[in-house]
Amino acid sequence: MENISAHESVQKMYKKLNADGITNTFDRFDAQGNRCGFCSNGVSCRLCSMGPCRISKKAEFGSCGINADAMAMRNFLHLNIMGTTAYTYHAKEVAMTLKATGKGQTPFTIRDEAKLRDFANKLGIKGEKGFIGTKEPKINELAVKVGDAMLKSIHADSNEPLDMVELFAPESRIKVWKELGIMPGGPIEESMDMTSCAMTNIDGDYVSLAKKALRMSIATIYGSQVPLELGQDILFGTPAPHEHDVDLGIIDPGYVNVVANGHEPFIGAALIAAAHKPENQQKAKDLGAKGLHIIGSIETGQELMQRFEKDDVFVGLTGNWLSIEAALATEGIDVFAMDMNCSPPALGGYQDKYNVTLVSVSKLVAMPGVDKQIIYKPEKVEAQAQELIDLAFENFNKRKAAGLVTNDLPVQKTFTGFSGEAIVGALGGTLDPLLDVIKSGDIKGIVALVSCTTLKDSGQDINTIAITKELIKRDILVLSAGCGNAALQVAGLTTTDAQELAGEKLKAVCESLGIPPVLSMGTCTDTGRIINIVTAVADALGVDPSQLPVAVTAPEYMEQKATIDGVFAIAYGLYTHVAPLAPVGGAPNLVKLLTQDVEGLIGGKLAVETDMVEAADGIEAHIMKKRKALGI
């Protein structure tokens, strides 16, 4: 395919993949040819034995009697359920790790005690009398109880309002959600309800199904995403701004290299700790290597990079999920450790071809040709990290015998770690400076870019970079998360050098604060973190989030977690741009509901646009409309 990627490093390694004749995402995407129009438009169904059914002018109903709008919305709801359960799995892992750490069973410590105490206080958790007077046991006890509270919320009954929603959501939003009857229970119970109603012959009304998707999205953000990021901050530290390195050039073949890939930070954090041990560094040098490096890939890399500064052990992030095959093709990786998300299932053939050992570190991950599995357990993680490092030592001998390969790939600086606390800190401890520059128009508004990366409408990251350049040029500040964040990091847009690409007013604000025009917020799970920032801004101005000059863009959404994020953005009251079109195009009433009618009900709506200049036009027009309504 032409324009396979916005990144020089991936383009270069793709040529190697292509020359080697090894399967890769870019060639597989092309090989699929034209896609089925019925499937692309959401009007095909194979749930029951009377199907597959397709809706057309000749057949306006499926065999069961479902119409195009309900079929498309039901199919879309299935995607959202997967996104919810994936986020909730991650949240459960955080809760279990927090509990095990509180019991002294992991090598981790409580890095942010203040955040633990604050979270416990919000949850109404008090310490036991027997622990008062000894600080450390009290902290550990709170960690266990907070972990238990997270698990309780995850499984909370869907017939009762979820406590986390009432703790963290704006009161104005809660009022809207209650009026619409979409105040949720816990994400597991909601997922069970939604899975049941999305079976054959249960819920065949597209409006009802759409309301259920909105309801489940609220449970996902407040029952899974917000608590999981709070838990990770408690365990590994709340992100603070610092410089790091990204792109494939961070892979130095002269080192023993272990890559942590996926969406969870646990194995990666344990690897960083183990790799700092002098005996492991010495073992690497005894093998003829320069030392031992830990490298981050996709969202696991983002989680680590936000919290661990660059040093001579942890050296940064390779890129997003479409960079994985290119990274393996460098022949510089010894162990590629895969946790719960985003490891393409055809990687098995890369092991012998590129002298790398692939290891699943999650019970969820398996693929043909990969037989090594070290399933993450909080109580065993220290030993598991050492086992992975020992496998890397073994692999380095093989790689060295085959001849170390140098690829001369670029390295890009990035500025990362912009948590809500860090943003407030950069503003001098209060949101007032941000509110002032928004009111004055020096910053027209804020756009949260939370996206994947896909080949559907363009090459890797091309649309993500294009819309971001358009937005910052128009004096709109961008907060980035997800695989789209890696796109902007590798493209150099999360550095202070990128101030030169911003409009004159935004540039001046960024120069005065010493920040980039794109603030790197982390992963797709940081949707919850971004929402908390927007909530704080809305509260400070005394308005509902739907009244703010704020929008969301997912210019290259790809998988199921992205769909539930997008639905929540609408539920939260935000203008939500997406590309490509979700599989609902064959359902005209549903499209009208999502892109027009829902705004009158809940404040947010979907905007679909594949031309990034026109997409930026729509976002800017929305922001200016909101500014006018606020009188600023």
Side-chain angles (χ1 to χ4, degrees):
M1 62 180 293
E2 296 181 6
N3 298 322
I4 65 151
S5 174
H7 310 303
E8 173 194 341
S9 57
V10 175
Q11 292 173 15
K12 184 171 183 179
M13 298 317 299
Y14 168 72
K15 291 178 181 177
K16 181 175 182 179
L17 290 166
N18 192 260
D20 289 345
I22 192 165
T23 179
N24 63 83
T25 307
F26 306 101
D27 291 344
R28 292 192 298 267
F29 178 83
D30 265 358
Q32 286 295 317
N34 294 328
R35 272 42 171 193
C36 168
F38 292 100
C39 296
S40 296
N41 286 309
V43 288
S44 64
C45 176
R46 53 184 179 84
L47 287 183
C48 81
S49 66
M50 293 194 295
C53 293
R54 304 184 301 185
I55 303 294
S56 67
K57 290 182 180 179
K58 294 180 179 179
E60 295 182 4
F61 300 95
S63 297
C64 68
I66 197 167
N67 63 21
D69 296 300
M71 181 181 286
M73 188 60 231
R74 188 171 67 183
N75 289 338
F76 190 50
L77 184 56
H78 287 147
L79 300 180
N80 285 296
I81 292 166
M82 291 184 222
T84 293
T85 53
Y87 277 129
T88 307
Y89 179 89
H90 187 166
K92 177 184 173 184
E93 294 274 84
V94 173
M96 298 302 292
T97 302
L98 190 58
K99 287 185 62 178
T101 300
K103 294 175 181 178
Q105 296 170 340
T106 78
F108 308 135
T109 58
I110 304 303
R111 295 283 301 277
D112 194 331
E113 292 188 8
K115 183 162 283 189
L116 174 60
R117 292 182 189 278
D118 181 65
F119 194 12
N121 186 56
K122 281 186 169 67
L123 293 168
I125 294 171
K126 306 296 182 184
E128 297 291 345
K129 290 182 180 179
F131 286 107
I132 291 175
T134 53
K135 182 179 179 182
E136 197 62 30
K138 187 177 180 183
I139 283 293
N140 289 342
E141 176 211 2
L142 287 179
V144 174
K145 289 191 172 185
V146 166
D148 283 332
M150 288 174 62
L151 293 172
K152 182 179 178 181
S153 289
I154 285 171
H155 294 276
D157 194 296
S158 58
N159 291 319
E160 299 293 334
L162 179 63
D163 59 349
M164 295 289 187
V165 177
E166 296 180 321
L167 285 174
F168 291 103
E171 289 184 12
S172 57
R173 282 288 94 190
I174 292 174
K175 183 174 183 288
V176 171
W177 296 336
K178 285 182 176 178
E179 288 173 354
L180 285 173
I182 57 173
M183 272 290 283
I188 290 296
E189 291 277 330
E190 291 294 340
S191 298
M192 179 179 67
D193 291 359
M194 301 311 154
T195 302
S196 299
C197 79
M199 291 173 62
T200 307
N201 293 344
I202 297 183
D203 190 336
D205 181 271
Y206 77 97
V207 175
S208 172
L209 290 163
K211 287 176 68 176
K212 286 172 178 172
L214 291 167
R215 177 185 175 110
M216 187 170 63
S217 76
I218 300 164
T220 303
I221 297 298
Y222 291 109
S224 297
Q225 284 192 20
V226 168
L228 85 80
E229 279 301 340
L230 288 172
Q232 289 180 166
D233 287 352
I234 289 165
L235 284 165
F236 304 116
T238 298
H242 57 277
E243 194 174 73
H244 233 297
D245 287 344
V246 294
D247 210 349
L248 300 184
I250 66 172
I251 303 170
D252 184 335
Y255 282 82
V256 176
N257 291 310
V258 181
V259 174
N261 180 74
H263 281 231
E264 298 177 328
F266 316 118
I267 288 285
L271 282 167
I272 290 171
H276 274 96
K277 293 180 179 179
E279 58 267 32
N280 279 326
Q281 290 295 330
Q282 188 59 50
K283 177 69 179 294
K285 291 172 183 176
D286 291 344
L287 294 173
K290 299 177 186 176
L292 169 62
H293 277 172
I294 306 301
I295 297 169
S297 173
I298 66 170
E299 309 298 72
T300 292
Q302 294 286 358
E303 293 282 11
L304 298 174
M305 196 165 63
Q306 287 187 92
R307 297 176 172 90
F308 295 89
E309 295 197 6
K310 181 182 182 298
D311 59 15
D312 57 358
V313 171
F314 178 53
V315 295
L317 172 81
T318 53
N320 56 33
W321 84 269
L322 281 175
S323 298
I324 290 173
E325 292 162 334
L328 295 174
T330 64
E331 301 185 62
I333 296 172
D334 292 296
V335 162
F336 191 75
M338 304 172 288
D339 71 46
M340 62 165 285
N341 240 151
C342 293
S343 295
L347 294 181
Y350 282 59
Q351 292 187 112
D352 292 336
K353 187 70 176 179
Y354 298 124
N355 293 312
V356 58
T357 299
L358 303 183
V359 186
S360 164
V361 293
S362 169
K363 67 181 182 181
L364 304 186
V365 178
M367 62 187 63
V370 176
D371 57 4
K372 289 185 173 60
Q373 190 171 47
I374 301 170
I375 299 173
Y376 168 67
K377 298 291 183 185
E379 301 83 359
K380 298 179 180 179
V381 69
E382 187 169 21
Q384 290 174 331
Q386 187 60 52
E387 187 177 355
L388 289 165
I389 288 171
D390 290 341
L391 285 171
F393 290 150
E394 183 181 333
N395 191 85
F396 182 80
N397 282 326
K398 180 175 68 174
R399 192 161 59 85
K400 186 175 73 169
L404 300 181
V405 176
T406 302
N407 297 289
D408 190 27
L409 297 171
V411 175
Q412 171 64 51
K413 296 293 182 186
T414 185
F415 208 39
T416 190
F418 284 95
S419 59
E421 293 88 343
I423 291 174
V424 171
L427 295 170
T430 173
L431 283 172
D432 289 344
L434 176 61
L435 301 179
D436 290 343
V437 293
I438 292 175
K439 290 174 183 176
S440 69
D442 289 345
I443 292 178
K444 288 179 183 174
I446 299 172
V447 170
L449 185 148
V450 186
S451 192
C452 310
T453 182
T454 181
L455 302 178
K456 185 64 179 288
D457 292 323
S458 65
Q460 177 196 16
D461 299 338
I462 290 172
N463 279 347
T464 298
I465 294 167
I467 195 168
T468 302
K469 286 183 176 179
E470 280 293 328
L471 292 170
I472 64 174
K473 183 172 69 177
R474 302 173 192 222
D475 297 317
I476 296 170
L477 181 70
V478 174
L479 311 180
S480 62
C483 273
N485 188 25
L488 303 180
Q489 290 168 332
V490 174
L493 293 176
T494 58
T495 66
T496 51
D497 290 345
Q499 293 169 354
E500 297 302 318
L501 299 175
E504 287 303 314
K505 291 182 177 180
L506 176 59
K507 177 183 176 183
V509 171
C510 292
E511 286 177 340
S512 68
L513 295 173
I515 61 172
V518 178
L519 302 184
S520 171
M521 296 287 294
T523 76
C524 53
T525 61
D526 285 293
T527 300
R529 193 189 297 279
I530 292 172
I531 288 300
N532 284 343
I533 294 171
V534 177
T535 296
V537 172
D539 287 347
L541 292 173
V543 300
D544 182 71
S546 65
Q547 297 175 266
L548 293 173
V550 171
V552 172
T553 180
E556 295 188 37
Y557 102 86
M558 192 275 293
E559 53 103 88
Q560 298 82 33
K561 289 167 109 176
T563 65
I564 197 68
D565 288 338
V567 171
F568 175 76
I570 296 169
Y572 193 68
L574 302 181
Y575 179 101
T576 305
H577 162 252
V578 301
L581 172 66
V584 296
N589 293 316
L590 176 59
V591 170
K592 183 173 181 292
L593 174 67
L594 295 175
T595 61
Q596 298 177 41
D597 299 344
V598 73
E599 186 175 20
L601 296 171
I602 207 163
K605 70 174 183 178
L606 195 67
V608 181
E609 180 54 67
T610 57
D611 181 289
M612 294 301 110
V613 174
E614 292 188 18
D617 288 343
I619 291 170
E620 184 180 25
H622 171 79
I623 284 173
M624 298 310 292
K625 175 183 172 183
K626 295 299 179 181
R627 292 184 62 85
K628 183 178 179 180
L630 288 171
I632 58 176

